[in-house]
Amino acid sequence: MLSATATATATATAGVVFGSNWITLLTTPTRLLYFCHSAAAASDFPLTINVTRRPRHRLRKNSCSFSSTSSPFPSILTEPDDGNQKKSVNDARYSSLRILEWDKLCDLVSSFATTSLGREACKEQLWSLNHTYQHSLILLKETNAAVQMHNHGACRLDFSSINLLLVKSGLRNARRGGLPINANEAMAVAAILESAYFLQLNLKAAIKEDADWYNRFMPLSQLIMEMVINVSLVRVIKQVIDEDGSVKDSASSALKRARDQVQLLEKKLSQLMDSLIRNEMKETSFLEVSNIDGRWCINSGTGQLTSFNGLLLSSDSGTGRIIEPLSAVPLNDELQQARASVAKAEADVLLMLTEKMKKDLDDIEKVSDSVIQLDVINARATYSLFFRGASPSLYLSEKRDGSFSTETYLSENETLMASFPKEREWLLYMPKAYHPLMLQQHRQNVQKAKKEGSNAPDVSALEQAHPVPVDFFISHKTRVLTITGPNTGGKTICLKTVGLAAMMAKSGLHVLSSESVEIPWFDSVFADIGDEQSLSQSLSTFSGHLKQISDIRSQSTSQSLVLLDEVGAGTNPLEGAALGMSLLESFADSGALLTIATTHHGELKSLKYSNDAFENACMEFDEVNLKPTYKILWGVPGFPLGCITD
């Protein structure tokens, strides 16, 4: 067993240094902790720590020293190059979103899109990590406008009748030249232009009734009105292409003559085959008409002889013999030529359409892109309406001269760049907020029970077992919120609810809250929740959490949201409490805009009394029924009766 002795004074440096066998955690100005880890044995080694603490009011940067016979601690933390650093930041962000189950929420929202390309674009947009504050404001304004359109009723953004894949392939074929677009692609182009045309008409009608609707629907009204639609092209396409995607007989005189010739020849061949079969039925028991490569033939049974002369096209012991009668050969040759004439006439019609479309390819492509964008926006709005979300007031909080100031925010009834008072009561105001995936699961269970025909009392009881909403009222002075409470009390769900709400607001989604929400714009949401054991790096669960928190600490900014579940858990309670206090002090001092941490360590409650940046909360517990209520008690200094941890 290795042993080491470390002696240290307080240091102001925060970070984690990873060696081959050691993990060094440099924490806040009040503590310095080391954790030793063996990559081979995947177990934690004991380490004796002597920490010299200074009074809080006399804190200043000091050097640290330690001694170890094996000198396992690296002296320099090597910074990765810019490319690796960027990839590391993105990996930490994606890892956090995966922990929050953001991918499941993205799938749910995108399912409300009415086109396949709309669903793909919706997922891509929601997964984007490059939204700026201004972009987030625009996304929210788009969603609010789509909700307004839905409530108005006259301007429905439903594109389910449009096959955008056929539109895109038709545009590619038309640009490529040489071969014409096919009939289905032409009809898809007509469908998208017609849908956009009627959308414009409905919008114009609404504006004619009340001119204010144009501004209420902005920026969607501008996007819709800017679409250039060639109505005459739609008319031409529908004149020559039938609804089933076939070229009409009336498309050209040559096509009409060729198809009439095909019908005439097929009628003659049918009569000839019927005559031959009737004559042969006296001697054979099995004869039927077959079509081989477009030529009319007769299929006779195995070993059966026929009285008519013909060409043997194929013979199989299982299926019999395929014979083309000699009397049918000239008619079959004419039929092949007539069908070739039909194909050429159809190609000429489609080539004519292609030439007409070439003049409007850019406009059609812009209409297609606009429809995809409108479909994505409508998916966000429909999701909000389906789950009764509330439009968040999104504001920007920046740190200036050590203090935080707010800039602008957006709400459903405000302009895009409204000024907000400098002094705010709440950093985060989110009353009665639901975890979106839990709400979805509840609705699915109710719908499943109704579909399976469960009796009324069971369905009623299931409907009443509604997820419990949580209230988040975080003061603008608070930088670290510590939530304590028992296991299965809802602490982790609270963290995920806040994290998902922050991502939803940033991505232009309404937050599932019964009231208006005020939430800051976060550049990133980082989360350390669950089992972060890494077998590939030979890290234990505890060491995995340390690595994750280290990445979060180094990559978070003054505009980030950090969520830490069971901070300080997985090790000796005394060391875990000290570690948790150090980490939270570090985040409060120079870390994220807001850090929310859950813990079983009651010692962390004392941070509030020495630092105004801290706030306490506790998950309520029903002492009578001995079960959690999943509600948050705010300002609770410690564990009240019923909030005892195990």
Side-chain angles (χ1 to χ4, degrees):
M1 180 74 68
L2 294 177
S3 62
T5 302
T7 304
T9 58
T11 177
T13 306
V16 174
V17 182
F18 293 93
S20 59
N21 293 319
W22 293 84
I23 296 178
T24 309
L25 178 62
L26 306 179
T27 58
T28 64
T30 56
R31 297 172 185 84
L32 177 59
L33 299 179
Y34 297 102
F35 293 90
C36 174
H37 174 79
S38 171
S43 60
D44 297 322
F45 287 94
L47 182 64
T48 304
I49 307 169
N50 296 322
V51 180
T52 304
R53 302 184 181 179
R54 299 180 184 274
R56 185 176 301 275
H57 63 277
R58 296 179 57 190
L59 289 179
R60 63 180 183 272
K61 292 185 178 180
N62 296 287
S63 61
C64 64
S65 61
F66 48 82
S67 61
S68 174
T69 55
S70 58
S71 301
F73 300 106
S75 58
I76 299 177
L77 176 61
T78 304
E79 293 291 341
D81 60 82
D82 293 341
N84 291 336
Q85 178 69 16
K86 183 177 181 180
K87 182 178 184 298
S88 177
V89 172
N90 286 338
D91 288 346
R93 291 178 179 178
Y94 283 121
S95 175
S96 297
L97 294 182
R98 174 187 56 81
I99 291 172
L100 294 173
E101 297 180 290
W102 177 246
D103 54 335
K104 294 181 180 179
L105 186 56
C106 292
D107 291 340
L108 174 59
V109 175
S110 62
S111 68
F112 286 91
T114 57
T115 67
S116 58
L117 294 184
R119 287 187 286 273
E120 293 177 5
C122 187
K123 288 182 183 179
E124 182 179 356
Q125 184 186 84
L126 292 173
W127 267 105
S128 174
L129 301 180
N130 301 319
H131 294 319
T132 63
Y133 171 63
Q134 298 297 332
H135 190 201
S136 296
L137 292 182
I138 294 174
L139 293 175
L140 276 174
K141 193 171 182 64
E142 291 173 345
T143 305
N144 292 337
V147 170
Q148 291 269 16
M149 279 190 169
H150 188 280
N151 293 335
H152 182 274
C155 303
R156 300 299 297 272
L157 301 175
D158 185 1
F159 307 104
S160 55
S161 61
I162 300 173
N163 191 327
L164 286 171
L165 290 175
L166 286 177
V167 174
K168 293 292 186 181
S169 63
L171 291 173
R172 286 195 300 269
N173 291 335
R175 290 187 186 280
R176 196 173 297 152
L179 295 177
I181 65 171
N182 62 49
N184 288 322
E185 291 170 343
M187 282 302 294
V189 170
I192 192 173
L193 294 179
E194 190 174 41
S195 179
Y197 174 70
F198 284 117
L199 182 58
Q200 281 187 348
L201 285 183
N202 293 333
L203 178 57
K204 290 177 181 178
I207 296 173
K208 187 176 181 180
E209 292 178 1
D210 186 350
D212 289 341
W213 284 117
Y214 184 85
N215 293 326
R216 294 174 188 174
F217 294 159
M218 281 292 287
L220 304 191
S221 52
Q222 180 179 356
L223 179 62
I224 294 172
M225 298 305 293
E226 286 180 348
M227 291 190 293
V228 179
I229 303 165
N230 188 344
V231 180
S232 63
L233 177 61
V234 178
R235 189 179 302 112
V236 170
I237 293 175
K238 302 189 79 171
Q239 283 177 350
V240 298
I241 307 296
D242 209 342
E243 292 182 357
D244 61 358
S246 61
V247 181
K248 294 181 179 180
D249 292 345
S250 59
S252 72
S253 57
L255 177 60
K256 181 68 168 62
R257 288 194 302 270
R259 284 181 174 173
D260 288 343
Q261 181 68 8
V262 168
Q263 291 179 359
L264 178 61
L265 291 171
E266 287 181 338
K267 184 178 180 179
K268 289 182 178 180
L269 281 166
S270 177
Q271 293 173 348
L272 175 61
M273 296 298 169
D274 287 342
S275 175
L276 293 174
I277 290 176
R278 280 196 305 269
N279 293 334
E280 296 294 325
M281 289 301 290
K282 298 176 182 178
E283 301 178 5
T284 61
S285 59
F286 176 77
L287 286 175
E288 65 177 2
V289 178
S290 296
N291 195 299
I292 304 299
D293 296 330
R295 303 183 73 87
W296 289 60
C297 305
I298 292 179
N299 185 359
S300 66
T302 304
Q304 295 180 358
L305 299 177
T306 58
S307 60
F308 60 83
N309 295 323
L311 303 175
L312 180 63
L313 300 184
S314 67
S315 179
D316 191 287
S317 59
T319 61
R321 299 181 301 169
I322 306 296
I323 301 173
E324 181 181 3
L326 291 179
S327 58
V329 172
L331 291 175
N332 276 329
D333 290 341
E334 288 185 55
L335 180 60
Q336 295 289 69
Q337 293 175 1
R339 284 174 175 163
S341 298
V342 169
K344 183 180 184 306
E346 289 179 347
D348 290 340
V349 172
L350 294 174
L351 185 59
M352 177 271 297
L353 287 180
T354 305
E355 292 300 322
K356 287 184 175 296
M357 281 181 54
K358 283 184 177 181
K359 303 175 183 178
D360 301 288
L361 288 181
D362 291 339
D363 291 336
I364 296 173
E365 189 163 19
K366 289 178 182 178
V367 170
S368 177
D369 294 340
S370 297
V371 165
I372 294 175
Q373 185 179 353
L374 290 170
D375 196 23
V376 171
I377 296 170
N378 186 59
R380 301 199 304 261
T382 308
Y383 169 81
S384 174
L385 291 167
F386 186 79
F387 288 99
R388 299 179 182 178
S391 177
S393 294
L394 190 66
Y395 70 92
L396 185 65
S397 183
E398 295 182 334
K399 189 171 183 181
R400 298 176 180 174
D401 301 327
S403 62
F404 286 83
S405 63
T406 60
E407 289 299 319
T408 60
Y409 81 114
L410 176 74
S411 69
E412 190 171 357
N413 299 319
E414 298 293 336
T415 58
L416 179 61
M417 296 297 293
S419 177
F420 199 87
K422 293 296 182 180
E423 292 298 328
R424 302 177 54 86
E425 181 180 1
W426 304 112
L427 174 68
L428 175 64
Y429 180 82
M430 201 164 63
K432 295 181 174 59
Y434 290 95
H435 188 289
L437 298 180
M438 290 185 65
L439 195 60
Q440 175 208 12
Q441 185 63 48
H442 174 260
R443 291 203 176 188
Q444 286 181 340
N445 293 338
V446 172
Q447 292 174 356
K448 182 179 179 181
K450 291 180 178 179
K451 186 177 181 180
E452 292 177 350
S454 303
N455 57 58
D458 291 343
V459 174
S460 178
L462 188 59
E463 288 177 336
Q464 293 177 2
H466 203 273
V468 179
V470 295
D471 298 316
F472 271 92
F473 309 128
I474 302 179
S475 169
H476 74 282
K477 296 181 180 180
T478 301
R479 289 292 163 264
V480 178
L481 171 66
T482 304
I483 304 177
T484 53
N487 282 332
T488 69
K491 300 189 302 297
T492 302
I493 292 297
C494 287
L495 286 184
K496 291 186 175 182
T497 300
V498 175
L500 290 175
M503 285 301 302
M504 291 169 73
K506 180 180 180 180
S507 303
L509 291 169
H510 287 181
V511 178
L512 303 190
S513 175
S514 59
E515 300 179 22
S516 179
V517 173
E518 295 179 12
I519 188 169
W521 180 85
F522 296 103
D523 59 359
S524 301
V525 177
F526 295 101
D528 176 52
I529 300 173
D531 187 356
E532 291 300 323
Q533 187 180 59
S534 176
L535 299 179
S536 62
Q537 301 182 47
S538 299
L539 298 179
S540 66
T541 299
F542 177 67
S543 301
H545 279 294
L546 288 183
K547 182 181 184 304
Q548 179 76 357
I549 294 175
S550 169
D551 292 340
I552 292 173
R553 181 64 184 85
S554 62
Q555 297 167 13
S556 60
T557 71
S558 61
Q559 291 182 331
S560 299
L561 172 64
V562 174
L563 307 171
L564 305 177
D565 192 30
E566 300 297 352
V567 62
T571 186
N572 178 279
L574 183 60
E575 293 179 352
L579 171 63
M581 296 178 74
S582 300
L583 288 173
L584 296 186
E585 282 183 333
S586 173
F587 279 108
D589 178 53
S590 59
L593 173 62
L594 177 62
T595 300
I596 304 178
T598 68
T599 183
H600 277 170
H601 297 296
E603 294 86 349
L604 272 63
K605 68 180 182 292
S606 62
L607 294 173
K608 175 183 177 180
Y609 303 105
S610 58
N611 192 332
D612 292 339
F614 285 83
E615 181 57 88
N616 291 329
C618 179
M619 303 306 298
E620 186 182 48
F621 191 85
D622 187 344
E623 301 174 13
V624 177
N625 298 314
L626 299 179
K627 63 180 183 179
T629 66
Y630 307 109
K631 296 181 180 180
I632 302 178
L633 300 178
W634 290 93
V636 175
F639 295 106
L641 185 60
C643 279
I644 307 301
T645 62
D646 44 27

